[in-house]
Amino acid sequence: MRSDQVTKGMQQAPHRSLFNALGYTKEELERPLVGVVSSYNEIVPGHMNLDKITEAVKMGVAMAGGTPIMVPAIAVCDGIAMGHVGMKYSLVTRDLIADSTEALAMAHQFDALVMIPNCDKNVPGLLMAAARVNVPTVFVSGGPMLAGHVKGQKRSLSSMFEAVGSYAAGTMTEEDVCEFENKVCPTCGSCSGMYTANSMNCLTEALGMGLQGNGTIPAVYSERIKLAKHAGMKVMEMYEKNIRPRDIITEDAILNALTVDMALGCSTNSMLHLPAIAHEIGMDFEIDFANGISAKTPNLCHLAPAGPTYMEDLNEAGGVYAVMNELNKKGLLHTDCMTVTGKTVGENIEGCINQNPEVIRPIERPYSETGGIAVLKGNIAPDGSVVKRSAVVPEMLVHEGPARVFDCEEDAIEAIKGGKIVAGDVVVIRYEGPKGGPGMREMLNPTSAIAGMGLGSSVALITDGRFSGASRGASIGHVSPEAAVGGPIALVEEGDIIKINIPELSMQLDVSEEELAARKAKWQPREPKVTTGYLSRYAAMVTSGNRGAVLEVPKN
C-alpha cells in the first residue's frame, strides 16, 4: 500500500504516534487510507450540504474496508463574487485547489481519494489534482439546486441578474425584484440551470470519473446521500482493481466530454476547464477541436439560460447517460473508455432511455444539427474566442455594428444601465483576461444588464474575459490573445465596425491590416492592476484563454 510510507515499519513509529494523536486504531491503519476531499463550507450555497455528503462517503468507504480521512478543499461562490474585485479570485482558485489537493494527497500518502466538489472551479480543480496524483479516485458532487418559482414559472439565478437589468430599464418594480430575490434560489445546491458548476458535474460523468446521476440528482434528494455512499464503496473497488484516473481520463474520454458538452449546451467555461484537464494528462487540446466536434454533434438540450428547463428536469428525463445514449445512436462516442464503475462507457449507458423528449431531444429531432459551443476566429481573435451558440437568438447569429469600447467591466455596466448602449452596438470589454484582469472575470452583470434592458436580440458583447454559464445572447468571450499582451482586441477603437458570423465561425474587425499595424506600433503595455499577493503571481504565470488559462513557469 502507498500508505505504508506513513504506517508501516520502525522508521514510521513517529508517523504512527501522530495517527495515535488523531485517534486512529491499529486496525484502521492496517486498511487503505482514503482521503475524502470535502469542499464543505458555509459561504457557497452549493457546498452547505457537503458535510452530509462527506459523512455518507466516509460510511461507504468504511463499509467497503477502507479508512476514510476527511481533508479540505476551498471553493468560491461565483454569484457572491460577481461584479466586484472578488471575481478576480474565482478562476484563479481552480489552480489553487489543484495545487493544494495535490500537496495534501502526496504529503499524507493516501491510497485512494474521493473528491467532493460542487461549484465552478472546484470541480475542474479537483479533476486536475486527480490526474496529477493518480491514485484510485471517484467524484461525487453536492448536486444541483431545485429551480425557484416566481409567478407560476420556474426561475433561477440568471433570472435574478436579469431582473436587476429590467429594474434599471424601468420595466420591473422594486417589489418585483424583491420577489425574485426571495424565490429564485430556494434550496442548497449548485444553481439550477446549465451553468458552469452543473456543466462540469455533468462532464465528470461523461469523462467517466463520477457515477450515474452525479451531475443531475438534486442536492436535496435522499438519492444524493445514497450516491455518496456508493461512491465511497466504489473507490475501494477501484483500489482493489487498481483503476486510476489516468486509465480513465484519456484523450478519447476528453473528446467524449466535449461531445456531451455540445449536446447539453454547457457553459463556455468548459472551454477553459477541459483544456486544463487535458493539459494534466499531456494532451495538447486546441480549442478548435470544438468546431470539428460541434459540426457532427447535435444540440439536444436547452436548459436555462438557453431554455425553460432545469437540472431537475434533465434528471427526471434520464440524466447524462440518457443524453449519451442518444449520441451513441449515431456513433458519436468512444464507448470503450474505462470509467469509475469498472465498466466501459458503452456498458454504462446501455438501456438508459430518454424519458422526456421535450427535455432531451431525440437525436433525430435536435434543437440544431450542430453543438452548443462555437469557436470564432478572425483578425480580432486570431487564436480564437468562444460563444455559447445554443443560447444566442437566431437574429444575432450574424451581426454587424460599431464597437463601444471599455477597458473594464464597471465602465461597461455604467454605460449599459445609463442607456448609452443602443440596438446594433457591439460592446467590447478588454483588459479583463487571465493576465489583464488579472483572473479573467465573468461578465454576467453586463450580459444580464443587456438582456434586462431589452437589448438581448440586438447587442453583442465581446471580451477577453469570460462569461458565467448563466449568460445568454451573443456573448463572445476568451478573445485571444488578450489585450494585456497586445492582442488585437487592444487595438479596437470606438466606432470601429465589428462583423460577427457565428455560423461561419468568424469575427472580424473591419479595419485594414495597415491601420492595425500602425495602431500596434503605438500600443504600450499597461501597468499591472495588481502587484502583490496571489493574483500577481498568477498573472505572471498564466497563459491565454485559448490554452485554458493554465499556469506555466515564465521563460527567461
Side-chain angles (χ1 to χ4, degrees), residues 162-230:
E162 290 178 13
V164 175
S166 297
Y167 176 76
T171 58
M172 190 175 280
T173 66
E174 187 174 346
E175 289 74 20
D176 291 331
V177 175
C178 186
E179 184 177 7
F180 272 76
E181 184 181 329
N182 287 306
K183 293 182 177 179
V184 297
C185 296
T187 71
C188 64
S190 48
C191 296
S192 54
M194 188 53 80
Y195 311 144
T196 307
N198 292 326
S199 294
M200 292 311 300
N201 283 320
C202 287
L203 295 186
T204 299
E205 281 190 63
L207 277 171
M209 289 297 294
L211 299 177
Q212 183 179 8
N214 179 67
T216 59
I217 297 170
V220 294
Y221 283 13
S222 298
E223 193 67 26
R224 177 64 58 177
I225 300 294
K226 289 157 63 174
L227 183 74
K229 292 176 183 175
H230 282 129

Side-chain angles (χ1 to χ4, degrees), residues 23 41 132 140 223 227 239 251 272 298 325 334 458 546:
N41 61 56
R132 289 182 198 173
V140 57
E223 193 67 26
L227 183 74
Y239 173 77
E251 291 195 14
L272 285 172
N325 201 31
H334 298 279
S458 60
N546 69 300

Side-chain angles (χ1 to χ4, degrees), residues 346-427:
E347 291 172 314
N348 284 345
I349 66 176
E350 186 176 359
C352 294
I353 305 302
N354 180 358
Q355 304 288 344
N356 188 337
E358 296 309 310
V359 177
I360 305 170
R361 288 278 184 92
I363 201 157
E364 304 81 13
R365 188 173 59 86
Y367 282 102
S368 67
E369 293 293 341
T370 52
I373 288 177
V375 174
L376 312 184
K377 284 191 171 182
N379 64 353
I380 194 171
D383 291 342
S385 61
V386 180
V387 63
K388 188 173 182 175
R389 172 165 42 191
S390 59
V392 179
V393 294
E395 55 266 40
M396 287 299 291
L397 290 171
V398 179
H399 180 77
E400 177 178 328
R404 305 299 308 280
V405 183
F406 304 94
D407 286 350
C408 67
E409 177 190 7
E410 289 80 1
D411 290 350
I413 292 170
E414 183 179 351
I416 296 165
K417 291 186 175 179
K420 295 177 182 177
I421 302 302
V422 299
D425 284 347
V426 178
V427 176

Side-chain angles (χ1 to χ4, degrees), residues 36-118:
V36 179
V37 184
S38 175
S39 306
Y40 169 72
N41 61 56
E42 295 181 343
I43 189 62
V44 184
H47 291 224
M48 64 179 288
N49 63 319
L50 295 191
D51 55 340
K52 309 292 189 300
I53 302 296
T54 301
E55 289 305 312
V57 166
K58 289 171 68 176
M59 184 175 291
V61 169
M63 287 166 61
T67 297
I69 303 174
M70 192 280 288
V71 292
I74 67 163
V76 162
C77 177
D78 278 19
I80 295 174
M82 195 71 65
H84 56 89
V85 68
M87 182 44 66
K88 294 180 184 290
Y89 286 88
S90 170
L91 177 61
V92 306
T93 64
R94 183 191 72 188
D95 298 86
L96 199 57
I97 290 162
D99 291 349
S100 58
T101 303
E102 174 194 359
L104 272 169
M106 297 303 292
H108 301 107
Q109 291 294 286
F110 290 123
D111 297 298
L113 297 167
V114 181
M115 305 294 199
I116 308 177
N118 210 26

